[in-house]
Structure formats: C-alpha cells, structure tokens
Amino acid sequence: MTARTGVLAVSAAVLLAVTVTGCSEEDQQKASDIVSSATAAAASAAEEKMNEVKDGVNATGDVKAGPTKTDGDRTTAEITATNPQDKNADYTIMVNFRDDGGNLLDAVVLNIDAVEPGKSKTGTARSNRTLSGTTTAEVAQALRH
C-alpha cells in the first residue's frame, strides 16, 4: 500500500462516517470500524514510507513535537529536528496524532532536510484529514540520514 492509498482510504472512511450520521446504531458502528481500519491503513502507509529510507539511523532523540493547532480543516504540529552531528543531516519523521484518550487518529511522514551541524530546523506535520476533539502530536519514529 502506498502513502497515497492510505490517504485515500482515510478520506473515503471519513466521508462514509459523515454519510451514515443519523443511521442506526449498527450502521454507525460499521462506520466507526471502517474509520478505525482506515486509520490503521494510514499508519501502515506511514510505516512503509519510513521503511523506504536507506541508511537511516534512529534519531528519535533529535526530534521534538510541539503542540497541535488547527489550520483550516487540518490539525498541524511544529516538529523540530536538532542535528548533533558534525555534518548536515536530513530527517524523515513519522508523526502520530492521538486523541486525549491516547487513541491513534492519524499518522503522517514529514521530511526536514539539510539541518546544519549543531543547529535546529522545523517543519510542519499536517494531518491527512479533519481531526476532532483534543489532539496531541508525538514523534513515533525519526531517522537521520
């Protein structure tokens, strides 16, 4: 599954969930199950994207997620990578968006390129879809390459 496929699956699930509002409890449960499945597909697509990085080293400690905010119909978070190495580094970062209960809502992959030695650089993680309620962003995985 490609990242694009995961995004399309999530979008279709959200549309279906909105469409069944006002339907029976059973129909609403089915829609909820589809959204859960689509969220899992987005996370899987993000993991697949991370697996495409060659010669990356674990750099989760180099990367921090800021608070989330709403930007139009999406949730965003500023992600900061600090390069402790003695040469420029690129970062590929998987960011999970979670609700206040810790449930996974969405997963995205962000690239922050050309971070100079001893410096920090930021990028914005943007959800694939509209997220409701209180959300937090967490760095699930970060690779320096």
Side-chain angles (χ1 to χ4, degrees):
M1 172 184 293
T2 66
R4 180 182 171 136
T5 303
V7 170
L8 291 175
V10 170
S11 298
V14 170
L15 178 60
L16 178 61
V18 170
T19 302
V20 299
T21 302
C23 293
S24 72
E25 191 172 312
E26 182 180 328
D27 289 340
Q28 289 177 355
Q29 182 58 48
K30 286 179 185 176
S32 177
D33 291 346
I34 291 170
V35 170
S36 294
S37 178
T39 299
S44 178
E47 287 179 26
E48 185 177 306
K49 188 78 170 162
M50 295 299 293
N51 290 335
E52 292 174 5
V53 176
K54 301 297 179 211
D55 301 321
V57 296
N58 182 359
T60 304
D62 297 356
V63 181
K64 303 290 183 234
T68 59
K69 62 182 179 179
T70 302
D71 180 17
D73 64 342
R74 302 289 191 243
T75 299
T76 64
E78 188 172 280
I79 308 299
T80 303
T82 302
N83 182 4
Q85 302 298 304
D86 59 0
K87 61 182 179 179
N88 279 7
D90 298 331
Y91 288 83
T92 301
I93 306 146
M94 186 167 110
V95 178
N96 287 340
F97 289 97
R98 295 191 179 272
D99 67 15
D100 56 1
N103 300 304
L104 181 65
L105 300 174
D106 201 0
V108 299
V109 174
L110 167 70
N111 292 306
I112 301 176
D113 296 326
V115 182
E116 295 179 20
K119 304 274 180 157
S120 295
K121 193 170 181 182
T122 61
T124 302
R126 182 176 177 83
S127 66
N128 293 305
R129 59 188 178 89
T130 302
L131 307 178
S132 61
T134 303
T135 59
T136 57
E138 69 178 14
V139 175
Q141 184 180 8
L143 298 173
R144 183 178 56 243
H145 49 96

